[in-house]
Amino acid sequence: MAIADILHELEHHPRPCDKEGLKKSIRDALIHQAGKDPLEATPRDWLEAVSYAIRERLIERRMFTQRLFNREHVKRVYYLSMEYLIGRMLINSLLNLGFYEACREALSEMGVDLLGIAELEPDAALGNGGLGRLAACILDSMASQCMPGYGYGIRYEYGMFQQQIENGQQIEHPDNWLRYGNNWEFPRPEKIYRVRFYGRVVTHRDNGNLRHHWQDCEEVIAMAYDHPTPGYGNKNVNNLRLWAAKSTRDFDLNYFNEGDYIGAIQKKAESETISMVLYPNDATAIGRELRLKQEYFFVSASIQDVLDHHEEMGYRITELPDKVALQLNDTHPAIAVAELMRLLLDKYQLPWMSAWEITKAVFGYTNHTLLPEALETWPVEVMERVLPRHMQIIYDINFHFLNEVRHTFPGDTEVIKRLSIIDEEHGRQVRMAHLAVVGSHKINGVAALHTKLLESTLFHDFYRLWPERFVSITNGITPRLWLHQANPALCALISEHIGRDWVMDLSQLRALESFADDPKCREEFRAVKEANKRRLADLVLERTGIRIDPNAMFDVQVKRIHEYKRQLLNILHVIAFYNRIRRGEAGDQTKRVVLFGGKAAPSYVRAKQVIRLINDVADLINHDPMVNDRLKVVFFPNYDVSAATVIIPAADLSEQISTAGMEASGTGNMKLALNGALTIGTLDGANVEIRDAVGEENMFIFGLTAEEVAETRARGYRPRECYQENAELKEVLNMIGSGFFTPDDPARYGDLVDDLLNNDAFLVLADFAAYVQAQEQVDALYTDREDWTRRAMLNTARMGYFSIDRTVQQYAEEVWGVVPECWI
Ligand SMILES: *Cc1c(COP(=O)(O)O)cnc(C)c1O
């Protein structure tokens, strides 16, 4: 068959997507791919078979999408991210492709339960928290909106660790997510690039031009694995390309011929460690050499791949900004600025100025945090040793940049020190955020308040220099996962009233506002919430052995455990509430379940201590007969995307209580409000915009503002005064500090309480009274179920702005300059 015939066949007879067609594919895959006799097939074999069947259909559409983009010569955006927190693929793919029902029926006729086997799929947890989940939401949105958008990242052998709770403490287990293989990906053994490390730079003169050669390097091969990502309700399928490290020793027989066979294999294993494991740190920079190598490894492979494609398309290198946008998801891939410069200078031999103009025109940089401990810096010594040519280029970038600064601020030597890419005051460090800002034409914060703080604090000098580079693009979440998939009962209710188009145009939810005043609709909405709560109660019982009452208020704080997120404030209130119950002062009959979930970085001692405290408190309260179900405390182990899809639709109250000014955006806040939880929160991150959208009367805002936090700190904050002035707080801290919850180890939390009284860097005590007061309002409102439900419905109705589709449209227009291209 000639190529033309194959193409014709593919175009006119793609894999059928009806029930019978799927059934045949699944059966074929079970026998011929999985190699299983249908008589003996286990649920996992069926999962494998169905994934193969779906993957066949994904790849066909992927090919058409790719050909369309090539034919139309579109500009493409490449999203560079160290993390993708994806979760499971099966149900999401089926819903996006539109053959969920057909597949469910096909399986059912073969005696297999779709939802049952879907539970067996491991989460693709190639990320820590919000930053990685944002990347996954952006991929979904780019495909759903027909954007020519590509993800690049690392195919970690081990993703985010699995959290177990033993004796109240977090235990980490490796996440061997590839144990049973990965039936969604396409390995591309022919898509390989050499990535170099170490060595030295040799310079020579060629016709008066300086030429640089990077020599005597160690080399690693980056091999591509492609993950087709389907859009919702269209036929476009985009691609996420993840790189795995392979040793060059496979390709270099000499090493084996030297006679040291075992040594050669050992070297091979060493170079393959680059893509072995995700660093489990959220909002903290890790100064380890392997981390720098991971960053450069995936950046170098990705940029080589981008430039290869650019050449294959027949474009000139100077046309790069017309065809390519590169987005840096935080500073983790910021070395890309130097890598692109290196290729433009050393490979394409462009003059400095044109290389630099091209580089600036293609890069955009998203900042995710103001926390000092999260700002990446690399010792010059390390950078020079690992990436010697890049260090030279960074020096040159800095030289030109500082000349521009001198021109703008003549005579100001302090501003030079503050702006320099090299920090000279802390033992010569490369400031990756500065490299990212200098090398990008657009820099964005992830919420309005965050961008404002970037402009006024962290990047203030840059903002004075280039105000036009700064834009604010508030994060969003994909409605496909966080409503359509996670909350089918609510979706059915919504669609019954306003049709189905909201999935791709979330602002349409506003039409639900009027239903909030209809008692019958409120009844239906409440019934959905109660069903979701029963589903969660079953899961909590299964995972923790704790029985919770679906009629209680579900008060939920799920997110990474971090001091600035203030799980401590929450548990202090839990104890205060417990004391009121014991004294008979708790007033009304509101029952509460306070549910926590989240992982602590394995080396973050204080965060792990907070997990233990929550469990110690839970243990005592849950077994106190005086409490008698008025209050239950649950720590839900191993919070991940799959857990989130069950917990979030069941929440009544969403805890978003970070110290104001410290949470860049938050996206958990959006998922919960969209699913009809009322927020108790500080004016931080996107909470501010959520308040503007849903109305202050439909939330519980409390505590110091970002400005007041700064003033309090500047005045000299004395937490002990809060303790002295507030009898309830005093009692709570005395209980923790004296071992009330840990009689067998009374000193366990002595240092924690001391720290709160003497430092309290996150102003927990300063906000305690306001928080308790806000919680009283929560209790009061919850006794009026009609009013509560009305406000919950208004939350859902008014959250349309926080769709990731709006976020991606803003990036496309304000940063990337790409436009949608759909095939029908
Ligand atoms: C959304 C999400 C996060 C981010 O939650 P925040 O409350 O914004 O910190 C973290 N982990 C998982 C699994 C998520 O789905």
Side-chain angles (χ1 to χ4, degrees), residues 196-249:
R196 295 181 284 176
F197 299 99
Y198 309 111
R200 64 203 173 94
V201 180
V202 176
T203 304
H204 76 96
R205 217 164 257 289
D206 161 32
N207 272 334
N209 295 313
L210 275 188
R211 297 289 173 219
H212 303 270
H213 300 274
W214 184 11
Q215 296 180 344
D216 307 328
C217 309
E218 282 185 21
E219 277 187 352
V220 175
I221 301 290
M223 179 183 141
Y225 286 76
D226 286 346
H227 300 72
T229 52
Y232 174 88
N234 62 30
K235 289 193 170 183
N236 281 40
V237 171
N238 282 359
N239 197 35
L240 166 62
R241 178 161 282 182
L242 301 179
W243 301 105
K246 307 278 169 180
S247 168
T248 52
R249 282 166 177 84

Side-chain angles (χ1 to χ4, degrees), residues 85 128-131 133 477 482 558-560 564-565 639-642 644 648 656 663 665-669 671:
L85 192 51
N128 272 286
L131 175 148
R133 184 54 234 173
I477 54 171
W482 296 113
V558 284
K559 48 184 72 249
R560 286 302 288 263
Y564 84 81
K565 291 176 182 280
Y639 179 63
D640 59 8
V641 171
S642 288
I648 287 170
Q656 308 300 335
E663 185 77 88
S665 162
T667 50
N669 47 2
K671 301 167 197 167

Side-chain angles (χ1 to χ4, degrees), residues 372-604:
E373 66 269 30
L375 299 178
E376 271 191 297
T377 61
W378 292 103
V380 166
E381 168 273 314
V382 171
M383 188 70 82
E384 217 149 40
R385 193 160 42 76
V386 180
L387 299 171
R389 179 62 183 130
H390 297 77
M391 193 62 237
Q392 288 182 340
I393 290 170
I394 291 169
Y395 278 132
D396 289 346
I397 293 171
N398 202 33
F399 172 80
H400 290 283
F401 163 57
L402 292 181
N403 277 343
E404 184 180 338
V405 176
R406 281 189 200 95
H407 190 260
T408 311
F409 305 113
D412 190 342
T413 52
E414 284 306 306
V415 83
I416 296 279
K417 277 195 215 161
R418 292 198 303 266
L419 278 172
S420 174
I421 297 172
I422 312 293
D423 178 358
E424 308 277 355
E425 316 231 295
H426 302 88
R428 305 210 76 215
Q429 305 265 337
V430 183
R431 294 160 161 159
M432 300 308 274
H434 290 217
L435 180 61
V437 170
V438 173
S440 300
H441 66 291
K442 283 288 185 296
I443 298 112
N444 76 284
V446 289
L449 173 66
H450 172 61
T451 307
K452 197 190 90 185
L453 291 171
L454 279 182
E455 291 170 356
S456 59
T457 62
L458 184 64
F459 293 152
H460 182 60
D461 293 314
F462 284 112
Y463 181 66
R464 287 198 297 155
L465 198 58
W466 303 312
E468 72 286 353
R469 288 197 195 184
F470 286 79
V471 290
S472 184
I473 305 184
T474 301
N475 281 168
I477 54 171
T478 173
R480 272 74 63 185
L481 175 61
W482 296 113
L483 193 50
H484 189 240
Q485 180 180 339
N487 202 342
L490 183 54
C491 288
L493 181 59
I494 293 171
S495 299
E496 197 180 298
H497 290 304
I498 68 168
R500 302 206 59 91
D501 291 349
W502 58 267
V503 182
M504 282 305 298
D505 176 8
L506 203 62
S507 65
Q508 290 189 15
L509 290 184
R510 189 163 288 275
L512 291 170
E513 271 189 23
S514 55
F515 296 103
D517 290 322
D518 178 341
K520 188 172 152 290
C521 293
R522 285 202 297 267
E523 185 51 47
E524 290 168 350
F525 189 89
R526 199 156 46 236
V528 165
K529 184 64 84 182
E530 278 168 16
N532 291 336
K533 287 166 75 171
R534 282 194 297 275
R535 178 172 69 152
L536 175 58
D538 291 344
L539 189 65
V540 165
L541 182 63
E542 183 190 314
R543 297 282 165 90
T544 68
I546 301 172
R547 208 173 283 279
I548 57 175
D549 178 1
N551 294 311
M553 179 208 305
F554 280 15
D555 171 353
V556 169
Q557 186 171 24
V558 284
K559 48 184 72 249
R560 286 302 288 263
I561 311 293
H562 207 296
E563 285 165 281
Y564 84 81
K565 291 176 182 280
R566 298 201 295 192
Q567 281 89 0
L568 253 183
L569 180 58
N570 189 342
I571 201 71
L572 295 190
H573 166 257
V574 165
I575 297 169
F577 189 67
Y578 168 64
N579 290 338
R580 288 187 187 187
I581 294 172
R582 291 196 300 161
R583 282 197 293 268
E585 291 170 9
D588 61 67
Q589 289 306 301
T590 299
K591 284 186 179 179
R592 260 196 211 233
V593 173
V594 183
L595 184 144
F596 295 85
K599 295 172 184 176
S603 59
Y604 193 168

